Amino acid sequence: MNTKVITKNNHLITSLGVGLFLVGIALYMYFLSLSVMHVVMRKEALHDLNELRSQIAKLEASYIEARHEISSEVATLDNFELSDNKIFVSRSEQNLVYNTVSE
């Protein structure tokens, strides 16, 4: 009678161990597929983000171009003339000083 109880307990423990092992394998496969799916979704999201950024850049370029065309048209309406002699100012140091002595 004692061996039947021990055999029954051993069978129960073995069945429980095999069941937990199979559940562990199933959970591992589930989480592995879930992580792979998230990696793929992240790559797709980054691809979409890059496409949107390039579309925004194209729209900004067309906006700037249209703005310059409008500025040119408005300037010609007020009898301004196009000048090829352009002066550009650049700042090489943090402080600018007005120089009254011509060199």
Side-chain angles (χ1 to χ4, degrees):
M1 179 114 144
N2 208 4
T3 58
K4 282 187 177 182
V5 173
I6 292 173
T7 305
K8 189 174 183 179
N9 285 340
N10 285 342
H11 180 67
L12 181 65
I13 291 172
T14 303
S15 298
L16 184 63
V18 169
L20 286 175
F21 180 70
L22 292 176
V23 168
I25 288 175
L27 287 174
Y28 174 75
M29 290 172 52
Y30 171 74
F31 287 121
L32 183 65
S33 66
L34 191 65
S35 66
V36 168
M37 186 177 62
H38 278 96
V39 167
V40 170
M41 288 173 57
R42 182 175 181 267
K43 285 185 180 181
E44 288 177 0
L46 288 175
H47 183 265
D48 292 343
L49 181 66
N50 288 336
E51 284 184 9
L52 287 174
R53 285 182 179 167
S54 66
Q55 288 177 357
I56 290 171
K58 288 177 185 176
L59 289 173
E60 286 176 343
S62 64
Y63 170 73
I64 291 171
E65 182 179 327
R67 199 169 114 201
H68 284 297
E69 287 178 13
I70 291 172
S71 296
S72 298
E73 290 174 8
V74 170
T76 55
L77 291 176
D78 291 335
N79 294 329
F80 287 103
E81 295 178 4
L82 184 64
S83 174
D84 292 332
N85 298 330
K86 298 178 183 175
I87 300 172
F88 295 96
V89 177
S90 63
R91 189 165 91 174
S92 60
E93 296 180 14
Q94 292 294 336
N95 297 326
L96 294 177
V97 178
Y98 181 67
N99 188 3
T100 58
V101 180
S102 62
E103 295 177 13

